[in-house]
Amino acid sequence: MTGTLNKVMLIGHTGDDVKMHYFEGGGAIGRFPLATNESYTNRTTNERVTNTEWHNIVVRNKAAEICEKYLKKGDKVFIEGRIKTRKWQDDQGNDRYTTEIQCTEFTFLTPKGESEGGGNMQQQNSPAQNQHNTPKNDNFANQSMAKEEEEDDLPF
């Protein structure tokens, strides 16, 4: 096979609110942990076993601002993206590695008003799939859809 694929699809619960970082040029990055669970029954002891895997989610720019506004700790969300490992140095100069999920699309799965933070959460589907965005988010959806149309160079 000549091509490669780096694609991740996760459904899980947020472990914290989105932490934002803004840049001088107007860009933004949002980060939050996402928990996914695996449950099975141990055949020898017949007890239910649940394992939780934590994922570091990174979302950028307008999508990050949407996540910050609507995602609260404990909310269920679908994330689609790619795996990226970053290398950095700690205070002692040791090389450290962090594996993150660079989010390209998301869908909020917690029903409106049921988030842990309560209040006025509005369901927000991934921009490419949602035709019913709030007016504030219409521009973001149109940009994402236009980008996908540009990337589609299939002859049929």
Side-chain angles (χ1 to χ4, degrees), residues 85-117:
T85 301
R86 289 187 302 113
K87 180 180 175 182
W88 53 282
Q89 289 189 338
D90 63 14
D91 295 337
Q92 290 78 36
N94 299 321
D95 287 344
R96 307 287 290 214
Y97 296 88
T98 302
T99 301
E100 301 170 327
I101 307 301
Q102 301 285 325
C103 178
T104 55
E105 295 189 32
F106 56 87
T107 303
F108 297 161
L109 301 175
T110 299
K112 184 176 180 179
E114 288 186 22
S115 67
E116 195 173 279

Side-chain angles (χ1 to χ4, degrees), residues 104-106 124-131 133 140-141 144-145:
T104 55
E105 295 189 32
F106 56 87
Q124 168 68 43
N125 289 341
S126 98
Q129 297 170 346
N130 188 8
Q131 298 292 328
N133 288 327
F140 176 67
S144 293
M145 290 174 69

